[in-house]
Each structure stands twice: as structure tokens, then as C-alpha cells.
């Protein structure tokens, strides 16, 4: 089982910067596109860390590993980064599936659009964490990532924004390691359907409100 997230913080470069932490009571199967703990495997925790908009480190996995060590987190986990204040996380539940999203849509883009000469320096990361209460096959985990992404894109479209996502979005899906294995994670499958609805509701709610980058909230 994955816990509800705990909001904490860490001192860094003179800032007191928020962190959002999910813990599992045992190993969970996971798939993630996060910079730390990406891929498919057993994971024990998920960390979603706010960073200033001036963030320019080229070793995000090492940075997240250090944050995990500071929190005394055991075993492998998933680490995510965002310019959004993670205290603004939005949670939604549907038929036992739980979804959490930190939503920054300042830099929406169409996935297949030509690359701009320069990206706007605005908060633009959507991090999605999902817990499905049934064991998913590897193929279903991958399918669940696609389903979550489609649901995110549907929400962005309904918000009237010209994009399918942002350049730095990440998705993490977790499920139990035991029990009968579900073979499918698509939007009409037993678990993919509530996953899609929960992610859509969380992203739409998060994207409907004005989001100021965390590091800009303190400017006079």
C-alpha cells in the first residue's frame, strides 16, 4: 500500500524548499519516467521535490539520491523534480485508484510541433503519481503510463491550452507485487478506466488555478 503523501522541506542555498514524500509499507511494482528510479522495478517510496526556477544542475538523479539519503529513505525509490510548489498537489480517487498531480502548465507544447528557438522560462512541469490497488503486468504498467498521459492531455485540451503536455512532465504508476495479475492498463480496462478518470480530474483541477513558480512567490 502507498501512503498519502507527507509534506516536508529541506534547507538548500538559503531556501527552505518543500518536498512531497510517499512511503510504501513494503516494495511496490512501479513504472516511472522520473530522473531517479525510472523504468520498471520494485520501489519503496516516491519523492516529488520543488526546485527554484534557476535550477540548472545536470545531475538530477544524484541530487534526488542525496535528498533521499537526507530523509533516511531505504531501498530504491522514485525521484521527481518540479518548479511548482508541491504543497499544491491535487489528489483524486476513482474506484480504488488514487492519483496525485502537481500541475505547472506555463510552457505547454504540442509533442510533435517543431522545436522553438528558445523555450519560455515559465513553470511547466506536470508530475503525476498513481497507485493502482491490483498487480499489473509489465505490459499493463506501460499501458497505464500511456493512459495517464492521454488523460492528462484531455485535461489540458479542456482547459483550452495549446499543448499536449510540457517538456518535462513525468508519470509514475505503482501497484502491489502480489495477487492476480491484470494484463491490461488501457482506458477501457478494469484498472485503466478509473486511472484515466482520476488523472484527468487531478490535472484538470490543478491546471484550472493560477500557478506561480515556487521561487517567484517570495518576490516583492
Amino acid at each position: 500500500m502507498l501512503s498519502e503523501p507527507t509534506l516536508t522541506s529541506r534547507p538548500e542555498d538559503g531556501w527552505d524548499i518543500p518536498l512531497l514524500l510517499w512511503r510504501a509499507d513494503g516494495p511496490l511494482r512501479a513504472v516511472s519516467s522520473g530522473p531517479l528510479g525510472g523504468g520498471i522495478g520494485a520501489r519503496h517510496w516516491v519523492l516529488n521535490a520543488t526546485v527554484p526556477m534557476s535550477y540548472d544542475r545536470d545531475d538530477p538523479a544524484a541530487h534526488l539520491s542525496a535528498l533521499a539519503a537526507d530523509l533516511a529513505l531505504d531501498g530504491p525509490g522514485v525521484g521527481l523534480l518540479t518548479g511548482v510548489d508541491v504543497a499544491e498537489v491535487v489528489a483524486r480517487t476513482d474506484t480504488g485508484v488514487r492519483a496525485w498531480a502537481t500541475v505547472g502548465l506555463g510552457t505547454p507544447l504540442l509533442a510533435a510541433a517543431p522545436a522553438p528557438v528558445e523555450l519560455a522560462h515559465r513553470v511547466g512541469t506536470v508530475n503525476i503519481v498513481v497507485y493502482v490497488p491490483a498487480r499489473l503486468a509489465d505490459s499493463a504498467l506501460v499501458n497505464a503510463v500511456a493512459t495517464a498521459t492521454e488523460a492528462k492531455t484531455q485535461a489540458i485540451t479542456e482547459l483550452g491550452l495549446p499543448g499536449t503536455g510540457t517538456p518535462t512532465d513525468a508519470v509514475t504508476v505503482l501497484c502491489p507485487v502480489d495477487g492476480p495479475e491484470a494484463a491490461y492498463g488501457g482506458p477501457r480496462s478494469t484498472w485503466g478506466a478509473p486511472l484515466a478518470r482520476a488523472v484527468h480530474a487531478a490535472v484538470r483541477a490543478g491546471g484550472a488555478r493560477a500557478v506561480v513558480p515556487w521561487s517567484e512567490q517570495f518576490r516583492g
Side-chain angles (χ1 to χ4, degrees):
M1 178 68 71
L2 190 67
S3 69
E4 291 295 322
T6 300
L7 182 65
T8 183
S9 63
R10 87 275 184 181
E12 190 171 292
D13 298 329
W15 300 85
D16 193 29
I17 308 182
L19 298 166
L20 202 59
L21 173 62
W22 294 256
R23 296 178 186 265
D25 56 10
L28 296 174
R29 285 171 52 74
V31 60
S32 179
S33 62
L36 177 66
I40 294 178
R43 304 290 183 263
H44 294 253
W45 45 266
V46 179
L47 182 62
N48 192 10
T50 294
V51 293
M53 291 301 291
S54 58
Y55 188 83
D56 61 357
R57 292 184 58 156
D58 59 4
D59 60 346
H63 184 199
L64 285 160
S65 292
L67 296 180
D70 289 343
L71 292 168
L73 299 177
D74 295 324
V78 172
L80 311 170
L81 297 171
T82 178
V84 173
D85 184 347
V86 294
E88 298 179 1
V89 64
V90 177
R92 293 292 185 270
T93 301
D94 192 301
T95 321
V97 175
R98 292 181 288 158
W100 299 268
T102 52
V103 184
L105 291 169
T107 316
L109 58 76
L110 295 167
V117 175
E118 183 177 351
L119 286 174
H121 191 65
R122 292 176 292 169
V123 62
T125 296
V126 181
N127 283 340
I128 296 168
V129 176
V130 179
Y131 176 76
V132 176
R135 176 181 169 88
L136 301 179
D138 283 358
S139 57
L141 281 170
V142 174
N143 204 173
V145 171
T147 298
T149 302
E150 291 171 9
K152 173 196 71 177
T153 298
Q154 179 182 341
I156 292 170
T157 299
E158 291 172 0
L159 289 167
L161 297 173
T164 53
T166 87
T168 53
D169 292 353
V171 178
T172 300
V173 180
L174 305 105
C175 69
V177 298
D178 299 316
E181 190 172 80
Y184 306 107
R188 291 297 174 265
S189 67
T190 299
W191 295 109
L195 181 154
R197 293 191 295 266
V199 170
H200 170 265
V203 175
R204 176 145 184 179
R209 60 193 186 193
V211 176
V212 177
W214 175 85
S215 54
E216 294 181 7
Q217 294 179 10
F218 308 100
R219 295 181 178 178

